[in-house]
Amino acid sequence: MKKNRIDCYLVGYSPITVNLIRALISLAILLLLAPVSAAPTAALVGGVLNKSSSTPNTAQSALDPAALIEDIKKKLVATRAEFVAMPSEAIAGMPATGVPENEEVLARRLHLRQLLFIYQGQLSRLPNLQAIQKDRIEFENKADNWSGFTEPSAHPFLRADELKESVTTFSKQVEELESWLTSIEQAGTQIVNLAENSIVKMRQADEAVEQAKKSPEQQARLTRQRDLLAVQNQINLARTMGFEIEKQTVQEELLKTRAQLQLARKQLNVASEHAELTQQDIDQVYKNIDVESQDIITVLNKALSDVDLETTPAQQVKPTTGQLSQTQLEQLHLAQHNNTDVKLQVLNRVLVYLQMQRDIWNVRWVYAKVTDRDKANEAYEKISRNLGVLVAIREYVYQQRQRILAQVTSQAVKELDPTMTESNTLKDELRKLDLDQLVSYSRLLGALDSTISLLERCKQDLDERFEEKSFTDFLESTLLTARGIAAQIWTFEIFAVQDNIEVDGQIISGKRSVTVDKVVTAFAILIVGYWFAAHLSRIIEGHAVKRLSMDASLARIARRWILFLQVILLVVLSMMVVKIPLTIFAFMGGALAIGAGFGMQNMLKNLISGIMLLFERPFRPGDVVEVGGIRGRVIDIGVRSSQILDGNGIETLIPNSTFIEQNVTNWTLSSKSVRIVVNVGIAYGSPIKEVNRLLLGVAERHGLVLKEPAPVVLLEDFASDSLLFGLYVWVEINPEISWKSIASDLRFMISKALDEHDIVIAFPQRDIHLASSEPLAVRVIPDAQDKSILNPKVSE
């Protein structure tokens, strides 16, 4: 009964997986029965354990099951006889604080019972090892001696296709068994360590008994402890042997699967030589799918009819559940309804996957003779898309099945509790329904696995047919792959924006994709459009200057603002052409609001200031202005800043907002005439009127000094060292000549005129008063080149 229950829990697993699960359960039981104290890890040598060093690649078994069966039977008989010979008082148990001899008897009896359980388990597993060894030898001989098929197949392609599936299945099983074998070896390390530790303790116990010969009581106590350790040693060695049996079982299973894989590969190499998909193969496949679909439809119709007949909760419940209460009946009815719903959904999904298998075979038939890699790429895309979807669905179904399996297993563990003696009818019925759901999900997993396997074989066919055989094939395949990657990047959606979309003549609100191709196209339109806009603005500037007689500086400013407006129109036009909604700015506004508020406030301020300067025109290119301590000629007025060239030839970019916020001096706003002054100091005693005449004459002789207003000479001050005169003249400022150059010319001419008339330009004079309280030291220096003059320290 227990075996059937375990088989119900493992519905849907392969036979290899079932055997591996049973092996791990046995190892888990051995580990649970092991003592709490564990010995340090060490290598166990000698006896049977040395025989377990064989690897899975060896054909001969490290254990002889027949000899082991006979040996374990003898041990089982001896252990059972010893157990029966134990004192009967130990059956009822003894107090934990009783006589030490009684406690040791009770412990020995428990150990013997545990040893009996281990021997019985080994006897039940060894026949399975014998059967696997027999199958392994049979498949190895068959794989080594196979030379060809005895009968030709009516459908060679289908035979080769089935062999491909077998090769894939066996390859996965080999990987799974290798992984399981590693896990079993890791789990058996603790058992081996315990066995080694028990052997060490036995040796130490023998030495302790030998040393206690002088004390009979102590020797008797140590002897009883040694006998108890001997039983524990037998248990640990029996556990080690059980581990070796399980390990050898997995090794034999691995060798058998490898032999099956070798045989399947040989058969596939022969079957695939002349295998070509024909219409007869397709017809046979369709026929098999139709038969399987009809079976599913029959089961589905029966399930639907059962649902129609079950109209009331009372009719849904079996007579054996009449003892349930009304609440329990309702709970059972709900569980039955859910189970029926799951079953119907599973059957419908299986039908869908059968139809998908028909479609996959149709794709294989359509692309069976295709030689164009471009067309084959379409099949690759279909296969990859379907594989991705099916793998995700399979993972979900597998998780659902695992959930039901965990629920059933937990219920079974609770039933093993010896404290539960009464039967629970509701739990029995719910467990049956869970098992039914487990079978349904397993059936769905089988349909999914077969469909996924068919897709993988279809992809494998394309891989084999379009395998790169020359440089041309490699180049074509590379270009095809690169084009596919580029197409994925080109159509990649960056984000989506809410917009109104017209569908069948109706405007609906939805989201519009902003993809890479739309962005690239919009930028291309902007680049080309900007090139045309720049040329158009230059043409407009030229016509405005030549035909409309517009000032060149004003036309240049107008050209820049026209280009700015054209760029804005280009942005809107490019977005409309590629169907990027303008609401993108609202979408991006939330993310860029802070950046626009802080990072762009200066740019916006300068932009608005430029617009104000354009309309107010407080200065124009060519004007001489002074702002922020910088004086120079305006070279250009831009959208964000203006360019000024100072007298040193240094060009300075000044933000437009500076001209609005600070005081600006425009030397040429309404007129280019500027009055400049040249100051000169004349020594006291010079003829004042003559100086006035000479200064006016210098101003009249300079060609760049304006006649109107006339030059003026002013005696400005009686300074401490000179008479200060100021020559005030008017000059016209232009980009070619600086007013500083005119002032310099006037100073040269004044100096020359005063020299010609022996008029001295004053220099600072000071009266020196010497202190007369002490005699003055007088020193005669005979030679002006004396060393005392050149080096004052010498004279000192």
Side-chain angles (χ1 to χ4, degrees):
M1 184 65 181
K2 292 182 179 179
K3 182 178 180 181
N4 295 334
R5 180 178 297 172
I6 293 176
D7 292 339
C8 292
Y9 299 154
L10 302 179
V11 171
Y13 288 103
S14 63
I16 295 178
T17 306
V18 172
N19 292 332
L20 291 174
I21 291 175
R22 288 174 175 169
L24 284 184
I25 291 174
S26 301
L27 283 178
I29 293 174
L30 292 176
L31 290 175
L32 289 174
L33 294 175
V36 177
S37 61
T41 304
L44 185 63
V45 294
V48 180
L49 297 180
N50 278 337
K51 300 179 182 179
S52 64
S53 60
S54 60
T55 63
N57 295 323
T58 58
Q60 299 295 329
S61 173
L63 301 176
D64 185 1
L68 279 177
I69 290 175
E70 296 298 327
D71 184 46
I72 293 173
K73 284 182 178 180
K74 294 179 181 178
K75 293 179 180 179
L76 181 61
V77 171
T79 304
R80 184 178 287 112
E82 185 178 358
F83 179 77
V84 173
M86 291 292 295
S88 58
E89 291 80 2
I91 299 177
M94 295 182 181
T97 58
V99 182
E101 291 82 354
N102 296 336
E103 294 179 357
E104 292 171 357
V105 169
L106 178 59
R108 184 177 181 84
R109 186 177 181 84
L110 292 176
H111 288 334
L112 290 174
R113 182 180 297 171
Q114 184 177 355
L115 189 60
L116 288 173
F117 173 78
I118 295 174
Y119 286 150
Q120 290 172 355
Q122 292 176 358
L123 288 177
S124 64
R125 292 191 296 275
L126 283 172
N128 182 39
L129 176 59
Q130 285 181 314
I132 295 176
Q133 285 180 346
K134 181 179 179 181
D135 294 340
R136 186 259 303 171
I137 296 173
E138 179 182 352
F139 279 108
E140 285 180 348
N141 294 332
K142 190 173 182 180
D144 294 336
N145 301 326
W146 190 85
S147 59
F149 295 103
T150 57
E151 298 179 359
S153 175
H155 302 281
F157 183 86
L158 297 183
R159 171 190 278 178
D161 196 63
E162 292 176 357
L163 289 173
K164 286 181 181 178
E165 184 177 6
S166 300
V167 168
T168 303
T169 302
F170 289 140
S171 299
K172 292 180 180 179
Q173 289 178 358
V174 167
E175 295 177 359
E176 182 182 3
L177 286 167
E178 290 174 349
S179 176
W180 280 79
L181 184 60
T182 303
S183 301
I184 291 175
E185 289 177 347
Q186 294 175 355
T189 303
Q190 184 178 0
I191 300 176
V192 174
N193 292 337
L194 290 174
E196 181 190 28
N197 189 34
S198 66
I199 295 174
V200 174
K201 288 184 178 180
M202 276 294 300
R203 288 197 296 265
Q204 295 175 354
D206 291 337
E207 293 175 0
V209 171
E210 183 180 0
Q211 294 174 1
K213 292 181 179 180
K214 298 180 180 180
S215 176
E217 295 181 357
Q218 184 179 6
Q219 187 177 22
R221 179 175 58 82
L222 293 176
T223 302
R224 291 195 302 271
Q225 293 179 358
R226 184 195 60 183
D227 294 340
L228 188 60
L229 287 176
V231 179
Q232 292 178 351
N233 184 32
Q234 292 179 3
I235 293 175
N236 291 329
L237 292 177
R239 288 199 190 103
T240 306
M241 179 56 66
F243 159 70
E244 292 299 322
I245 292 173
E246 301 300 338
K247 177 181 175 182
Q248 188 63 35
T249 301
V250 178
Q251 289 177 346
E252 292 293 335
E253 191 72 41
L254 178 58
L255 292 173
K256 183 186 78 171
T257 308
R258 285 177 176 173
Q260 291 176 320
L261 178 60
Q262 180 184 0
L263 177 61
R265 284 174 175 171
K266 283 185 176 181
Q267 294 176 346
L268 178 60
N269 291 333
V270 176
S272 59
E273 291 179 355
H274 304 288
E276 183 178 354
L277 185 61
T278 62
Q279 185 63 47
Q280 291 77 12
D281 296 330
I282 294 295
D283 294 339
Q284 182 63 35
V285 170
Y286 288 167
K287 181 180 178 181
N288 296 336
I289 293 176
D290 291 338
V291 171
E292 190 173 356
S293 300
Q294 190 60 42
D295 294 339
I296 298 297
I297 292 174
T298 302
V299 177
L300 183 60
N301 292 332
K302 184 179 182 303
L304 291 173
S305 62
D306 293 340
V307 172
D308 294 337
L309 292 175
E310 296 173 356
T311 56
T312 63
Q315 292 174 340
Q316 292 182 358
V317 181
K318 297 180 180 180
T320 57
T321 61
Q323 57 183 344
L324 299 177
S325 64
Q326 183 63 29
T327 304
Q328 292 175 335
L329 287 173
E330 292 177 357
Q331 183 180 356
L332 182 59
H333 167 63
L334 181 60
Q336 288 176 341
H337 177 74
N338 292 336
N339 179 57
T340 303
D341 186 40
V342 169
K343 186 175 182 179
L344 293 177
Q345 290 183 13
V346 166
L347 292 175
N348 281 288
R349 294 305 300 176
V350 171
L351 285 177
V352 171
Y353 296 137
L354 288 175
Q355 180 60 38
M356 184 179 291
Q357 292 179 15
R358 176 188 288 270
D359 296 337
I360 296 171
W361 277 104
N362 189 26
V363 171
R364 297 185 75 177
W365 172 247
V366 171
Y367 291 92
K369 298 182 180 181
V370 170
T371 57
D372 188 1
R373 291 180 180 270
D374 194 6
K375 292 183 178 179
N377 190 43
E378 299 177 0
Y380 272 112
E381 292 178 358
K382 293 180 181 179
I383 293 171
S384 301
R385 184 169 57 253
N386 290 328
L387 268 177
V389 173
L390 289 180
V391 169
I393 294 175
R394 188 195 182 283
E395 180 64 22
Y396 171 76
V397 174
Y398 177 77
Q399 294 297 333
Q400 291 294 106
R401 184 188 179 283
Q402 290 298 106
R403 179 181 61 83
I404 300 297
L405 181 60
Q407 183 176 346
V408 173
T409 306
S410 63
Q411 293 176 0
V413 172
K414 291 180 181 179
E415 290 179 0
L416 296 177
D417 189 356
T419 60
M420 298 181 60
T421 57
E422 58 180 1
S423 175
N424 193 327
T425 306
L426 179 61
K427 290 185 178 180
D428 293 339
E429 294 296 330
L430 292 177
R431 184 173 63 254
K432 292 178 181 178
L433 294 176
D434 289 338
L435 290 174
D436 198 9
Q437 287 190 24
L438 192 63
V439 173
S440 297
Y441 280 121
S442 300
R443 188 172 198 171
L444 184 57
L445 275 178
L448 279 167
D449 290 338
S450 61
T451 307
I452 292 174
S453 177
L454 182 58
L455 280 171
E456 291 176 347
R457 293 200 305 275
C458 184
K459 182 177 180 298
Q460 185 180 359
D461 290 342
L462 293 173
D463 290 336
E464 292 175 355
R465 193 176 326 127
F466 292 97
E467 184 181 3
E468 293 132 3
K469 301 176 182 178
S470 63
F471 177 76
T472 304
D473 293 338
F474 173 76
L475 182 61
E476 186 178 355
S477 177
T478 304
L479 292 176
L480 188 62
T481 303
R483 187 173 66 179
I485 296 174
Q488 292 180 358
I489 298 175
W490 187 250
T491 58
F492 177 75
E493 181 183 84
I494 303 175
F495 55 87
V497 183
Q498 193 73 23
D499 190 25
N500 294 327
I501 304 174
E502 183 177 355
V503 179
D504 296 333
Q506 296 182 354
I507 304 298
I508 62 174
S509 179
K511 287 189 175 182
R512 193 182 295 274
S513 297
V514 178
T515 56
V516 175
D517 65 326
K518 290 184 179 181
V519 175
V520 173
T521 306
F523 273 111
I525 295 175
L526 281 176
I527 293 173
V528 176
Y530 181 81
W531 184 81
F532 279 105
H535 281 273
L536 180 61
S537 61
R538 291 193 184 95
I539 293 173
I540 293 175
E541 179 186 7
H543 283 280
V545 173
K546 293 180 180 178
R547 296 188 179 183
L548 301 179
S549 301
M550 184 182 292
D551 185 64
S553 60
L554 181 61
R556 189 183 308 115
I557 296 174
R559 175 179 66 84
R560 293 190 175 182
W561 283 100
I562 291 173
L563 180 61
F564 178 72
L565 295 176
Q566 286 177 333
V567 170
I568 295 177
L569 293 176
L570 277 173
V571 172
V572 177
L573 178 63
S574 62
M575 294 178 65
M576 293 176 62
V577 169
V578 299
K579 297 186 181 302
I580 297 179
L582 297 178
T583 52
I584 184 177
F585 295 107
F587 172 78
M588 299 174 61
L592 300 179
I594 298 177
F598 291 95
M600 299 178 64
Q601 60 178 351
N602 290 330
M603 186 180 70
L604 294 175
K605 181 173 65 174
N606 293 323
L607 179 63
I608 297 174
S609 299
I611 297 175
M612 296 174 65
L613 294 176
L614 177 64
F615 285 98
E616 292 182 3
R617 301 189 66 190
F619 56 86
R620 291 166 293 181
D623 289 351
V624 177
V625 298
E626 184 176 354
V627 59
I630 299 176
R631 177 189 296 179
R633 188 173 69 253
V634 178
I635 302 299
D636 191 11
I637 302 175
V639 176
R640 189 190 65 86
S641 62
S642 298
Q643 184 177 356
I644 292 180
L645 177 66
D646 62 7
N648 299 321
I650 300 175
E651 296 181 355
T652 305
L653 296 178
I654 299 178
N656 290 333
S657 60
T658 304
F659 295 97
I660 303 298
E661 297 172 352
Q662 298 184 12
N663 295 330
V664 181
T665 300
N666 190 346
W667 293 69
T668 58
L669 177 61
S670 58
S671 174
K672 295 184 178 181
S673 299
V674 179
R675 192 182 73 168
I676 62 175
V677 59
V678 177
N679 294 316
V680 61
I682 305 301
Y684 279 97
S686 300
I688 296 176
K689 292 186 177 181
E690 183 66 16
V691 171
N692 183 48
R693 184 183 64 80
L694 290 175
L695 293 177
L696 291 175
V698 168
E700 291 176 355
R701 289 196 303 271
H702 197 287
L704 296 179
V705 175
L706 299 179
K707 304 301 180 180
E708 292 294 335
V712 177
V713 176
L714 298 178
L715 178 58
E716 295 184 342
D717 195 7
F718 293 98
S720 60
D721 299 321
S722 64
L723 298 172
L724 293 180
F725 285 87
L727 175 59
Y728 291 88
V729 296
W730 288 84
V731 297
E732 184 176 352
I733 296 178
N734 55 64
E736 289 77 16
I737 299 177
S738 173
W739 63 271
K740 291 185 177 181
S741 299
I742 298 175
S744 177
D745 293 342
L746 291 174
R747 291 187 182 95
F748 278 112
M749 295 173 69
I750 291 172
S751 177
K752 181 179 180 182
L754 293 177
D755 289 342
E756 290 176 352
H757 292 80
D758 296 329
I759 298 174
V760 178
I761 298 176
F763 53 87
Q765 299 180 10
R766 298 288 183 272
D767 292 335
I768 300 175
H769 299 274
L770 300 176
S772 59
S773 60
E774 295 180 359
L776 297 177
V778 178
R779 180 180 299 172
V780 178
I781 300 175
D783 191 359
Q785 303 295 330
D786 191 81
K787 293 182 180 181
S788 62
I789 299 177
L790 298 177
N791 191 357
K793 293 184 178 180
V794 176
S795 63
E796 295 177 358

mmCIF file of all heavy atoms in Angstrom, residues 707-728:
data_model
loop_
_atom_site.group_PDB
_atom_site.id
_atom_site.type_symbol
_atom_site.label_atom_id
_atom_site.label_comp_id
_atom_site.label_asym_id
_atom_site.label_seq_id
_atom_site.Cartn_x
_atom_site.Cartn_y
_atom_site.Cartn_z
ATOM 1 N N LYS A 707 36.220 120.810 -36.800
ATOM 2 C CA LYS A 707 36.185 122.269 -36.730
ATOM 3 C C LYS A 707 35.019 122.744 -35.886
ATOM 4 O O LYS A 707 35.105 123.784 -35.226
ATOM 5 C CB LYS A 707 36.088 122.853 -38.140
ATOM 6 C CG LYS A 707 37.204 122.408 -39.078
ATOM 7 C CD LYS A 707 38.588 122.788 -38.529
ATOM 8 C CE LYS A 707 39.703 122.341 -39.491
ATOM 9 N NZ LYS A 707 41.038 122.698 -38.970
ATOM 10 N N GLU A 708 33.935 121.993 -35.953
ATOM 11 C CA GLU A 708 32.755 122.320 -35.163
ATOM 12 C C GLU A 708 32.375 121.100 -34.342
ATOM 13 O O GLU A 708 32.229 119.993 -34.917
ATOM 14 C CB GLU A 708 31.587 122.723 -36.068
ATOM 15 C CG GLU A 708 31.796 124.039 -36.806
ATOM 16 C CD GLU A 708 31.837 125.223 -35.854
ATOM 17 O OE1 GLU A 708 31.253 125.113 -34.763
ATOM 18 O OE2 GLU A 708 32.466 126.227 -36.192
ATOM 19 N N PRO A 709 32.226 121.257 -33.068
ATOM 20 C CA PRO A 709 32.528 122.441 -32.251
ATOM 21 C C PRO A 709 34.032 122.745 -32.282
ATOM 22 O O PRO A 709 34.857 121.836 -32.410
ATOM 23 C CB PRO A 709 32.067 122.052 -30.861
ATOM 24 C CG PRO A 709 31.120 120.900 -31.077
ATOM 25 C CD PRO A 709 31.635 120.190 -32.273
ATOM 26 N N ALA A 710 34.373 124.024 -32.149
ATOM 27 C CA ALA A 710 35.760 124.471 -32.236
ATOM 28 C C ALA A 710 36.534 124.026 -31.010
ATOM 29 O O ALA A 710 35.981 123.903 -29.918
ATOM 30 C CB ALA A 710 35.806 125.998 -32.363
ATOM 31 N N PRO A 711 37.859 123.818 -31.174
ATOM 32 C CA PRO A 711 38.693 123.449 -30.039
ATOM 33 C C PRO A 711 38.722 124.583 -29.003
ATOM 34 O O PRO A 711 38.623 125.769 -29.348
ATOM 35 C CB PRO A 711 40.059 123.216 -30.654
ATOM 36 C CG PRO A 711 39.781 122.935 -32.109
ATOM 37 C CD PRO A 711 38.590 123.786 -32.457
ATOM 38 N N VAL A 712 38.924 124.238 -27.760
ATOM 39 C CA VAL A 712 38.935 125.194 -26.657
ATOM 40 C C VAL A 712 40.122 124.869 -25.765
ATOM 41 O O VAL A 712 40.395 123.701 -25.474
ATOM 42 C CB VAL A 712 37.619 125.133 -25.844
ATOM 43 C CG1 VAL A 712 37.685 126.083 -24.643
ATOM 44 C CG2 VAL A 712 36.440 125.472 -26.739
ATOM 45 N N VAL A 713 40.833 125.969 -25.330
ATOM 46 C CA VAL A 713 41.942 125.822 -24.393
ATOM 47 C C VAL A 713 41.531 126.474 -23.090
ATOM 48 O O VAL A 713 41.113 127.647 -23.086
ATOM 49 C CB VAL A 713 43.234 126.443 -24.936
ATOM 50 C CG1 VAL A 713 44.350 126.348 -23.895
ATOM 51 C CG2 VAL A 713 43.659 125.793 -26.228
ATOM 52 N N LEU A 714 41.677 125.763 -22.004
ATOM 53 C CA LEU A 714 41.281 126.257 -20.693
ATOM 54 C C LEU A 714 42.471 126.159 -19.750
ATOM 55 O O LEU A 714 43.207 125.161 -19.752
ATOM 56 C CB LEU A 714 40.117 125.442 -20.117
ATOM 57 C CG LEU A 714 38.805 125.463 -20.914
ATOM 58 C CD1 LEU A 714 37.774 124.556 -20.238
ATOM 59 C CD2 LEU A 714 38.270 126.874 -21.044
ATOM 60 N N LEU A 715 42.689 127.262 -18.985
ATOM 61 C CA LEU A 715 43.659 127.243 -17.901
ATOM 62 C C LEU A 715 42.916 126.685 -16.696
ATOM 63 O O LEU A 715 42.129 127.367 -16.057
ATOM 64 C CB LEU A 715 44.198 128.655 -17.620
ATOM 65 C CG LEU A 715 45.196 128.763 -16.471
ATOM 66 C CD1 LEU A 715 46.413 127.872 -16.702
ATOM 67 C CD2 LEU A 715 45.620 130.226 -16.282
ATOM 68 N N GLU A 716 43.180 125.476 -16.415
ATOM 69 C CA GLU A 716 42.341 124.755 -15.463
ATOM 70 C C GLU A 716 42.759 124.978 -14.013
ATOM 71 O O GLU A 716 41.905 125.023 -13.122
ATOM 72 C CB GLU A 716 42.334 123.261 -15.789
ATOM 73 C CG GLU A 716 41.679 122.983 -17.131
ATOM 74 C CD GLU A 716 41.571 121.487 -17.414
ATOM 75 O OE1 GLU A 716 42.280 120.701 -16.758
ATOM 76 O OE2 GLU A 716 40.777 121.106 -18.283
ATOM 77 N N ASP A 717 44.077 125.143 -13.750
ATOM 78 C CA ASP A 717 44.445 125.218 -12.344
ATOM 79 C C ASP A 717 45.869 125.748 -12.210
ATOM 80 O O ASP A 717 46.673 125.604 -13.141
ATOM 81 C CB ASP A 717 44.333 123.835 -11.706
ATOM 82 C CG ASP A 717 44.354 123.901 -10.190
ATOM 83 O OD1 ASP A 717 44.325 125.027 -9.656
ATOM 84 O OD2 ASP A 717 44.397 122.818 -9.555
ATOM 85 N N PHE A 718 46.131 126.386 -11.052
ATOM 86 C CA PHE A 718 47.482 126.769 -10.661
ATOM 87 C C PHE A 718 47.995 125.680 -9.723
ATOM 88 O O PHE A 718 47.712 125.689 -8.528
ATOM 89 C CB PHE A 718 47.472 128.130 -9.946
ATOM 90 C CG PHE A 718 47.081 129.270 -10.848
ATOM 91 C CD1 PHE A 718 45.784 129.754 -10.854
ATOM 92 C CD2 PHE A 718 48.020 129.866 -11.693
ATOM 93 C CE1 PHE A 718 45.428 130.796 -11.675
ATOM 94 C CE2 PHE A 718 47.643 130.928 -12.516
ATOM 95 C CZ PHE A 718 46.333 131.390 -12.524
ATOM 96 N N ALA A 719 48.678 124.755 -10.275
ATOM 97 C CA ALA A 719 49.154 123.639 -9.470
ATOM 98 C C ALA A 719 50.405 124.026 -8.715
ATOM 99 O O ALA A 719 50.968 125.119 -8.905
ATOM 100 C CB ALA A 719 49.415 122.431 -10.368
ATOM 101 N N SER A 720 50.875 123.168 -7.869
ATOM 102 C CA SER A 720 52.048 123.452 -7.040
ATOM 103 C C SER A 720 53.316 123.535 -7.851
ATOM 104 O O SER A 720 54.252 124.261 -7.499
ATOM 105 C CB SER A 720 52.199 122.384 -5.971
ATOM 106 O OG SER A 720 52.362 121.092 -6.577
ATOM 107 N N ASP A 721 53.364 122.823 -8.979
ATOM 108 C CA ASP A 721 54.585 122.786 -9.781
ATOM 109 C C ASP A 721 54.402 123.395 -11.154
ATOM 110 O O ASP A 721 55.390 123.568 -11.881
ATOM 111 C CB ASP A 721 55.066 121.344 -9.939
ATOM 112 C CG ASP A 721 55.376 120.716 -8.596
ATOM 113 O OD1 ASP A 721 55.918 121.386 -7.743
ATOM 114 O OD2 ASP A 721 55.028 119.494 -8.426
ATOM 115 N N SER A 722 53.144 123.612 -11.600
ATOM 116 C CA SER A 722 52.939 124.044 -12.982
ATOM 117 C C SER A 722 51.602 124.749 -13.118
ATOM 118 O O SER A 722 50.767 124.729 -12.208
ATOM 119 C CB SER A 722 52.997 122.832 -13.912
ATOM 120 O OG SER A 722 51.924 121.949 -13.598
ATOM 121 N N LEU A 723 51.491 125.342 -14.327
ATOM 122 C CA LEU A 723 50.210 125.899 -14.752
ATOM 123 C C LEU A 723 49.532 124.853 -15.616
ATOM 124 O O LEU A 723 50.060 124.451 -16.657
ATOM 125 C CB LEU A 723 50.421 127.200 -15.527
ATOM 126 C CG LEU A 723 51.088 128.356 -14.768
ATOM 127 C CD1 LEU A 723 51.419 129.506 -15.717
ATOM 128 C CD2 LEU A 723 50.193 128.825 -13.633
ATOM 129 N N LEU A 724 48.330 124.376 -15.222
ATOM 130 C CA LEU A 724 47.663 123.290 -15.931
ATOM 131 C C LEU A 724 46.752 123.862 -16.998
ATOM 132 O O LEU A 724 45.850 124.661 -16.715
ATOM 133 C CB LEU A 724 46.844 122.444 -14.945
ATOM 134 C CG LEU A 724 47.655 121.658 -13.925
ATOM 135 C CD1 LEU A 724 46.725 120.865 -13.006
ATOM 136 C CD2 LEU A 724 48.641 120.738 -14.607
ATOM 137 N N PHE A 725 47.029 123.431 -18.271
ATOM 138 C CA PHE A 725 46.206 123.804 -19.413
ATOM 139 C C PHE A 725 45.501 122.550 -19.923
ATOM 140 O O PHE A 725 46.050 121.443 -19.904
ATOM 141 C CB PHE A 725 47.059 124.406 -20.532
ATOM 142 C CG PHE A 725 47.524 125.808 -20.254
ATOM 143 C CD1 PHE A 725 48.702 126.042 -19.554
ATOM 144 C CD2 PHE A 725 46.775 126.898 -20.704
ATOM 145 C CE1 PHE A 725 49.124 127.320 -19.285
ATOM 146 C CE2 PHE A 725 47.215 128.185 -20.443
ATOM 147 C CZ PHE A 725 48.385 128.393 -19.729
ATOM 148 N N GLY A 726 44.249 122.701 -20.423
ATOM 149 C CA GLY A 726 43.498 121.605 -21.017
ATOM 150 C C GLY A 726 43.044 121.968 -22.403
ATOM 151 O O GLY A 726 42.384 122.990 -22.598
ATOM 152 N N LEU A 727 43.444 121.111 -23.394
ATOM 153 C CA LEU A 727 43.045 121.313 -24.779
ATOM 154 C C LEU A 727 41.846 120.402 -25.053
ATOM 155 O O LEU A 727 41.978 119.186 -25.097
ATOM 156 C CB LEU A 727 44.201 120.992 -25.728
ATOM 157 C CG LEU A 727 43.886 121.058 -27.225
ATOM 158 C CD1 LEU A 727 43.403 122.441 -27.631
ATOM 159 C CD2 LEU A 727 45.103 120.629 -28.048
ATOM 160 N N TYR A 728 40.671 120.958 -25.257
ATOM 161 C CA TYR A 728 39.436 120.210 -25.494
ATOM 162 C C TYR A 728 39.126 120.265 -26.982
ATOM 163 O O TYR A 728 38.941 121.362 -27.550
ATOM 164 C CB TYR A 728 38.286 120.801 -24.690
ATOM 165 C CG TYR A 728 38.443 120.579 -23.194
ATOM 166 C CD1 TYR A 728 39.150 121.491 -22.408
ATOM 167 C CD2 TYR A 728 37.867 119.472 -22.591
ATOM 168 C CE1 TYR A 728 39.303 121.276 -21.047
ATOM 169 C CE2 TYR A 728 38.011 119.262 -21.222
ATOM 170 C CZ TYR A 728 38.725 120.159 -20.458
ATOM 171 O OH TYR A 728 38.872 119.951 -19.111
#
